[in-house]
Amino acid sequence: MPLFHDFPALHPVLTGFCALSLALIGLTLFVATIVLAFSHRYMRADPRRGAFFATVTALVASVLAFVGTGNMMVFTGAWVFSGVALARLIGRSQHLSDARQAMRRAHGAFATGDAALLGALAMLWRHAGSVRIDAALAATATMTAPQALLTALLLVTAAAARSSLPPFSGWLLSSMTAPTPVSALMHAGLVNAGGFLLIRFAPVLEAAPAARAAAMALGLFAALYGIGIMAVRPDIKRALAGSTVSQMGFMILSCGMGAYTAALWHILAHGLFKAWLFLGSGSAVGMRGKAGNPAHAPRRPIAIAAATLLCAIAAWAAGVLNADMVPLSLGLATAMATLGEALRAQGPAASRSTLIPVIAGLTALYAGALHITNAAMGPDAPMLLPPSALIALIAGFLGVWVWQQSRAASASSLPPALYVRLLNAGTFAMPAKGDAQ
């Protein structure tokens, strides 16, 4: 059945609304409202704050347009414009060499991804003979295998560029020159667009198993790469950027496995959580490494990993294991570990009073994502991996996570070459021409 359903009363340009679109529109408006309210005070001394607010508003409007439209032409225009507006915000501090180079890097990555998206949508339009997304998706079943594979690979490339997966992750890691509100909006919303793209065009992805495998491999590499960057960066914003690269890898991995419910849950949860982290990053300056700070507090990662793996094995034994279990179990494990450390710092009473509502909230968020994806597109795609491989994937990720936590607790170092490579990810080797004084 078509992925999206139209409401006849809506203007034709805005057709294609469904539960998925409404959920992401709600997330975008919620985060944008908080960011704009934060920016009102943060940018009060900036003489160009009027242009800043105008650009942010245009950016949010473009996101709302491509999330809600059912027309490929409107989708393409809004998608491209959102990249241009975001790059301008990244390079807002034009007097800084790093800001100008970060803006050029973002423009380059977005241009590559936009060209891939244009190619994919052009192939869909030519095959279906319609600019309506629902008609193009309905005609996907009649595409030849080479057509479906090329279209799906182009969509994966576009998603990787917007979600800052390697080799495109440099634009996100170098964008820390942007004001904190821009970083919050970017990490909480714009980078999630790659996951939305793959969810929305899921029938194309499902018609090309090789493209799904490529998305899984790229997502797996990005997840591990982002964890490495997060582990070595001493500054809070670039450490959070590494975390975003890793989380986007998990999200694209979920889409490749056909776990669209988990991918949507990831978009919603990551958007809310990362906006909070970035807007509060200023208060974290000087806190890392102090006694009582969660960054170096005692952890129990082995117990959490063992419990998570036992739950996955129990689901396998019960015959209910599916692709959703991989990103969902890992997301819940890391969320509970982070939450437990933060609550532990506030005392046992706060932990007991807060933990249950937070777990209930995460469960409700996942249940909502499950309802949305089932209503919009039916059951998730068939799994490419057998259940035993899913268990091995969960165990592998949990093993890397335990290693990461133990390494941080013991302050052990990585091999020098790897450490330098990860530490310099997203930085510039030399100043641009004309910038050296």
Side-chain angles (χ1 to χ4, degrees):
M1 69 178 184
L3 180 61
F4 288 88
H5 303 281
D6 295 335
F7 290 119
L10 294 176
H11 190 278
V13 173
L14 297 178
T15 58
F17 273 108
C18 71
L20 174 61
S21 297
L22 293 176
L24 294 178
I25 286 172
L27 174 66
T28 301
L29 290 176
F30 180 73
V31 172
T33 300
I34 294 175
V35 168
L36 287 172
F38 180 88
S39 302
H40 181 72
R41 180 178 178 85
Y42 185 91
M43 305 293 294
R44 65 187 183 279
D46 192 325
R48 298 185 298 132
R49 59 184 177 276
F52 170 82
F53 282 106
T55 306
V56 170
T57 301
L59 174 61
V60 172
S62 65
V63 172
L64 296 177
F66 75 69
V67 165
T69 187
N71 184 291
M72 283 193 283
M73 296 180 65
V74 176
F75 185 97
T76 303
W79 181 278
V80 172
F81 181 83
S82 67
V84 173
L86 179 57
R88 287 181 61 85
L89 289 172
I90 291 173
R92 177 172 174 77
S93 301
Q94 288 288 321
H95 60 284
L96 297 177
S97 171
D98 283 356
R100 292 195 297 272
Q101 293 187 68
M103 180 177 67
R104 287 195 289 268
R105 180 174 285 186
H107 274 307
F110 294 159
T112 302
D114 294 347
L117 178 65
L118 285 170
L121 295 184
M123 293 186 67
L124 289 173
W125 165 75
R126 182 177 180 181
H127 178 75
S130 172
V131 296
R132 292 175 60 86
I133 294 177
D134 56 353
L137 293 177
T140 301
T142 61
M143 296 181 76
T144 64
Q147 285 179 323
L149 177 60
L150 179 57
T151 304
L153 287 176
L154 289 173
L155 288 174
V156 170
T157 301
R162 189 56 63 96
S163 292
S164 73
L165 271 61
F168 304 105
S169 54
W171 76 261
L172 185 68
L173 297 172
S174 65
S175 67
M176 296 302 103
T177 54
T180 294
V182 175
S183 296
L185 188 61
M186 179 167 49
H187 288 255
L190 269 295
V191 293
N192 290 314
F196 166 74
L197 179 68
L198 295 186
I199 294 174
R200 181 150 200 185
F201 289 89
V204 181
L205 203 60
E206 293 173 17
R212 289 177 59 188
M216 290 170 57
L218 184 60
L220 178 61
F221 177 77
L224 299 176
Y225 179 65
I227 288 175
I229 294 173
M230 182 176 58
V232 302
R233 287 302 310 187
D235 53 315
I236 186 68
K237 288 184 71 174
R238 278 199 171 89
L240 289 175
S243 169
T244 296
V245 173
S246 180
Q247 295 299 322
M248 293 303 99
F250 280 124
M251 183 180 64
I252 299 301
L253 172 67
S254 302
C255 293
M257 292 190 301
Y260 303 116
T261 297
L264 178 58
W265 177 83
H266 207 145
I267 290 174
L268 298 174
H270 179 265
L272 296 172
F273 186 61
K274 197 53 68 75
W276 170 62
L277 285 179
F278 263 99
L279 293 180
S281 61
S283 62
V285 174
M287 293 298 294
R288 295 183 71 169
K290 289 188 176 182
N293 184 55
H296 293 289
R299 294 178 171 89
R300 299 179 179 85
I302 296 179
I304 295 174
T308 303
L309 188 58
L310 285 175
C311 289
I313 294 174
W316 183 17
V320 295
L321 181 68
N322 57 33
D324 280 334
M325 287 294 296
V326 176
L328 181 60
S329 60
L330 297 173
L332 287 175
T334 52
M336 290 301 101
T338 303
L339 178 65
E341 294 298 338
L343 294 177
R344 192 181 62 81
Q346 302 175 26
S351 299
R352 288 192 297 268
S353 63
T354 311
L355 189 59
I356 293 177
V358 170
I359 293 176
L362 290 173
T363 303
L365 193 62
Y366 179 75
L370 179 63
H371 173 74
I372 289 170
T373 51
N374 283 340
M377 55 191 301
D380 287 347
M383 294 188 296
L384 289 180
L385 299 176
S388 58
L390 294 180
I391 293 292
L393 191 60
I394 293 174
F397 270 122
L398 289 173
V400 171
W401 177 66
V402 169
W403 167 82
Q404 177 199 12
Q405 299 302 310
S406 61
R407 191 204 66 85
S410 61
S412 60
S413 60
L414 295 171
L418 178 60
Y419 180 87
V420 172
R421 176 71 176 176
L422 293 172
L423 185 65
N424 292 326
T427 60
F428 303 103
M430 62 184 66
K433 292 182 178 180
D435 291 334
Q437 300 297 326

